[in-house]
Amino acid sequence: MIESLDRATRILDLFSSDIPEWTVSEVSRALGLPKTTAWEHLKSMVELGLLRKSGAANYRLGWRSFQLGLRARATSEIARPARAELQLLAERFGETAQLVSRYGTEVVYLEKVVIQSGVRSSLTRVGERLPSTCTAGGKALLAHLASPQLDELFPGPGLPQMTEKSLDTVEKLARDLELVRRRGYAVDHEETLEGMCCVAAVIRNRQGDATWALTLSFLEYKFDQHAAEYAQALIEASERLSHPPLPELEERSVRKTGN
């Protein structure tokens, strides 16, 4: 990987709705870079429009970052059809519906529909990232990775926790993912936020890969009565959004099985 591009990406990853401004010293400490190196990168990123100066010493995301985010959302092959399904799910159940994808060990919230009766949480705003092992969407996507990929992502033994109910070891994660594979959907039972639950099902791209997940978030007291119903609706919606495998992939699969 090109070192300067890697550093620029790491700098961009520092910015969040909770910490929207960074100084040269803060970037230097967070990324373990010399101050002069951090300053040079920040200066170049301002010139490119990826960052902007805010006052004498602070930096914020710039116009080009905003523009690229909007373009990514507008040109995504899944965004428009997913928004329609999210709206239907939210209105049908009166809950909050979301579309997520995985970035390394985290999930990124791509789309969200909240109606008046739905759960509102700033944790799952569009563009936010959370530990995948704490979320239903993250676990739904992780369940479709091969063991070597999971071992690389989570060398263990511990995992990040957001609540006391979050999975805290790789062993517990492995058992949970096996359960996801068997039943076809994932569950977050107060693992991201106390008092809130979530279920999720994956959407496949044209290569048959589990690339995105649909989720429904709801208050914990509804879990026993509604979780299975919500999950089934998500599975059906995800199947409508999933692409059939390309013909050449189907042919390759047939040759492998010898049928």
Side-chain angles (χ1 to χ4, degrees):
M1 182 182 294
I2 301 172
E3 185 177 13
S4 59
L5 181 59
D6 176 56
R7 284 179 177 173
T9 302
R10 290 166 62 201
I11 290 171
L12 290 173
D13 281 345
L14 293 175
F15 292 84
S16 69
S17 46
D18 292 327
I19 312 177
E21 288 190 344
W22 290 77
T23 65
V24 172
S25 296
E26 289 168 342
V27 170
S28 171
R29 287 194 299 270
L31 300 184
L33 297 173
K35 282 188 179 181
T36 53
T37 303
W39 177 82
E40 288 171 354
H41 279 79
L42 291 169
K43 180 176 180 291
S44 296
M45 293 172 75
V46 168
E47 292 172 354
L48 291 169
L50 293 170
L51 298 178
R52 63 180 174 87
K53 289 292 290 291
S54 175
N58 294 335
Y59 294 82
R60 284 177 173 262
L61 293 176
W63 67 268
R64 192 179 296 276
S65 295
F66 178 73
Q67 182 186 61
L68 290 172
L70 290 177
R71 285 182 180 175
R73 194 174 184 186
T75 58
S76 168
E77 69 272 37
I78 195 64
R80 182 175 297 178
R83 279 197 292 270
E85 291 288 352
L86 292 173
Q87 190 67 42
L88 290 172
L89 287 165
E91 291 177 353
R92 176 182 173 185
F93 296 115
E95 308 292 2
T96 296
Q98 294 135 142
L99 174 73
V100 304
S101 187
R102 185 179 63 84
Y103 175 67
T105 61
E106 298 177 313
V107 288
V108 184
Y109 288 81
L110 305 178
E111 299 287 342
K112 181 174 183 176
V113 174
V114 186
I115 64 172
Q116 188 172 1
S117 61
V119 173
R120 284 169 168 76
S121 172
S122 60
L123 288 175
T124 59
R125 285 176 293 206
V126 172
E128 294 296 334
R129 303 199 308 263
L130 292 177
S132 57
T133 56
C134 297
T135 68
K139 290 190 285 184
L141 292 165
L142 292 174
H144 293 272
L145 295 181
S147 294
Q149 292 174 286
L150 288 170
D151 292 341
E152 184 176 350
L153 287 173
F154 306 106
L159 297 173
Q161 288 185 274
M162 297 188 69
T163 74
E164 292 183 354
K165 294 188 177 181
S166 302
L167 301 175
D168 58 356
T169 68
V170 171
E171 289 75 18
K172 290 180 182 178
L173 175 64
R175 291 195 295 269
D176 198 299
L177 296 184
E178 180 56 35
L179 184 57
V180 174
R181 297 182 194 102
R182 290 204 306 268
R183 66 188 174 195
Y185 64 91
V187 169
D188 157 14
H189 199 150
E190 297 187 282
E191 296 163 57
T192 301
L193 185 65
E194 290 183 9
M196 190 173 81
C197 295
C198 188
V199 289
V202 297
I203 304 169
R204 296 183 179 276
N205 63 15
R206 291 193 181 279
Q207 287 69 45
D209 301 319
T211 306
W212 309 280
L214 288 180
T215 79
L216 271 176
S217 297
F218 51 96
L219 296 175
E220 194 280 333
Y221 77 88
K222 300 180 181 181
F223 186 87
D224 289 341
Q225 185 174 355
H226 295 290
E229 178 188 7
Y230 291 172
Q232 183 57 41
L234 286 173
I235 290 170
E236 293 169 1
S238 296
E239 288 176 350
R240 289 192 292 271
L241 291 168
S242 293
H243 294 285
L246 294 172
E248 59 268 28
L249 293 177
E250 292 179 339
E251 292 173 5
R252 194 179 306 140
S253 176
V254 168
R255 287 197 296 270
K256 284 183 178 179
T257 58
N259 294 328

